[in-house]
């Protein structure tokens, strides 16, 4: 008998599989010193007897701050020539947000990967700030549908936050991180020697993400930041080292245990203070950097948490005090910028934040120091009061 629409049984089968991701996150110093095993062990961990091809992209900002780096990397590869091969030479790429804004960056990287005949068993290695890692990580994730990728984050922000995550992105149509992928790397190597050469402004900017993750996850870490703010403000190396490790561990814990590593839901639990930060970066044409904008976003959303009764009074002043002691500038006139319709331009950041994930607006606020809480709406009038407060208190 022929199936008729009324008696047809649909043949639906359920496909199901899961994957475990496992990769080393090393904290070391002088990773390209010949005796340092972090990189060689990461490269050879799957096929110890093979010789591995690597394309190495290095942030130009890092190369100019560390002029002997290319020779140092060359020496490392020469010393381990039986196991690893650098294809081409060290490949300089302009770092900073410009590399995510420039629509030529990713196509150029793909051309290079193609010329170097990188295949899915070869490696791309990126040495640089979060922006460079995002761009090279994205190109690596889409080339041949994904080649093995090793990150060497070189800023406080990238070592403690973005570099230990599982995503990448570049900016498009003026929208930050509009295209990108979730692509866990093959390995992450955090080398403290890169932090030593980082300009003070960049060292400070990265601390904002540590304050952020302490506020939403770990009151003890927040207490440690308060107790050591003076040493951190003068960039004491052992203190920065500890800040990076604790921050990285908290970010990694969220990805490992949070139940949504590829952010399929509507929440962005690690993005406290970020809805306004991303907008402020855009409003200032990235004159205010990501970390600096996050410090301002943290202050605004902490105040919002207090004004809406979620967080005890006085905790906003406490957070502001720490950010100031760390040396952050907590005001920018463009926070008051109005669109043609007269609306606060910053508020557009809420819509963009929601659009990025889809679903319901989900913003993380604070229920306590060390405890984030999700809300699904923000009152524009209260946001406006927070801006007033920040202008007064932030400039005081
Ligand atoms: N993928 C993610 O999950 C994620 C998460 C958070 C942030 N990010 C992204 O990270 C980017 C910010 O990264 P960032 O704060 O590391 O800054 P950055 O990559 O923009 O680098 C800032 C500047 O420092 C230079 N530089 C980098 N390392 C240096 C060093 N050791 N010595 C001297 N100069 C150095 C760079 O050339 C650049 O000019 C943003 O684009 C942000 O969106 C990504
Ligand atoms: Zn951030």
């Amino acid at each position: 008998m022929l199936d008729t629409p009324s008696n047809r049984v649909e043949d639906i089968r359920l496909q199901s599989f899961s994957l475990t991701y496992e990769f080393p996150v090393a904290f070391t110093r002088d990773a390209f010193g010949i005796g340092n095993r972090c990189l060689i062990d990461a490269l050879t961990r799957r096929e110890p007897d093979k010789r591995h091809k690597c394309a190495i992209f290095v942030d130009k900002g890092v190369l100019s701050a560390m002029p002997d780096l290319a020779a140092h990397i060359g020496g490392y590869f020469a010393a381990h020539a039986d196991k690893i091969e650098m294809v081409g030479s060290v490949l300089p790429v302009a770092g900073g947000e410009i590399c995510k804004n420039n629509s030529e960056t990713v196509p150029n990287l793909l051309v290079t990967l193609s010329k170097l005949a990188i295949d899915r068993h070869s490696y791309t290695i990126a040495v640089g700030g979060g922006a460079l890692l995002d761009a090279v990580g994205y190109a690596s994730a889409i080339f041949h549908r994904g080649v093995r990728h090793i990150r060497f984050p070189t800023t406080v922000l990238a070592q403690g936050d973005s570099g230990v995550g599982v995503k990448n992105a570049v900016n498009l149509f003026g929208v930050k991180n509009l295209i990108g992928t979730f692509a866990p790397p093959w390995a992450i190597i955090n080398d403290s020697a890169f932090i030593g050469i980082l300009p003070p402004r960049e060292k400070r900017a990265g601390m904002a993400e540590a304050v952020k993750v302490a506020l939403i996850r770990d009151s003890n870490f927040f207490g440690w930041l308060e107790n050591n703010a003076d040493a951190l403000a003068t960039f004491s190396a052992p203190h920065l080292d500890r800040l990076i490790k604790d921050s990285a561990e908290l970010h990694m814990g969220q990805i490992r245990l949070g139940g949504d590593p590829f952010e399929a839901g509507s929440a962005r639990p690690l993005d406290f203070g970020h809805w306004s930060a991303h907008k402020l970066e855009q409003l200032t044409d990235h004159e205010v950097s990501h970390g600096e904008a996050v410090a301002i976003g943290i202050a605004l959303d902490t105040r919002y948490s207090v004004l809406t009764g979620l967080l005890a009074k006085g905790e906003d002043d406490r957070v502001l005090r720490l950010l100031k002691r760390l040396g952050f500038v907590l005001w920018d006139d463009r926070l008051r910028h109005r669109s043609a319709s007269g609306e606060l331009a910053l508020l557009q950041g809420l819509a963009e934040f929601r659009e990025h994930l889809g679903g319901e607006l989900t913003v993380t606020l604070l229920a306590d120091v060390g405890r984030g809480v999700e809300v699904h709406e923000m009152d524009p009038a209260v946001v406006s009061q927070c801006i007033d407060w920040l202008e007064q208190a932030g400039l005081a």
Side-chain angles (χ1 to χ4, degrees), residues 24 37-46 123 150 186-187 189:
R37 301 255 354 140
C38 294
L39 179 58
I40 188 75
D41 287 350
L43 288 166
T44 55
R45 82 184 148 94
R46 183 75 60 84
Y123 294 86
I150 297 184
W186 185 264
I189 300 176

Side-chain angles (χ1 to χ4, degrees), residues 157 161 209 212 270-271 274 278 290 294:
L157 186 137
D161 176 351
E209 301 282 8
K212 170 208 76 180
L270 290 175
D271 280 353
H274 276 55
H278 283 158
H290 182 71
V294 167

Side-chain angles (χ1 to χ4, degrees), residues 295-353:
I296 288 177
I298 288 172
L300 287 175
D301 283 355
T302 305
R303 177 67 174 175
Y304 191 99
S305 305
V306 168
L307 289 183
T308 50
L310 287 167
L311 181 66
K313 278 195 182 121
E315 297 293 57
D316 43 3
D317 295 325
R318 181 179 169 199
V319 170
L320 199 77
R321 222 166 18 247
L322 172 62
L323 292 170
K324 280 187 178 173
R325 287 178 67 202
L326 294 176
F328 284 102
V329 173
L330 294 172
W331 178 254
D332 187 284
D333 285 339
R334 286 160 285 196
L335 287 165
R336 290 215 179 274
H337 190 82
R338 293 200 173 259
S339 62
S341 61
E343 202 198 30
L344 261 182
L346 197 70
L347 287 170
Q348 183 59 30
L350 281 172
E352 287 167 10
F353 197 68

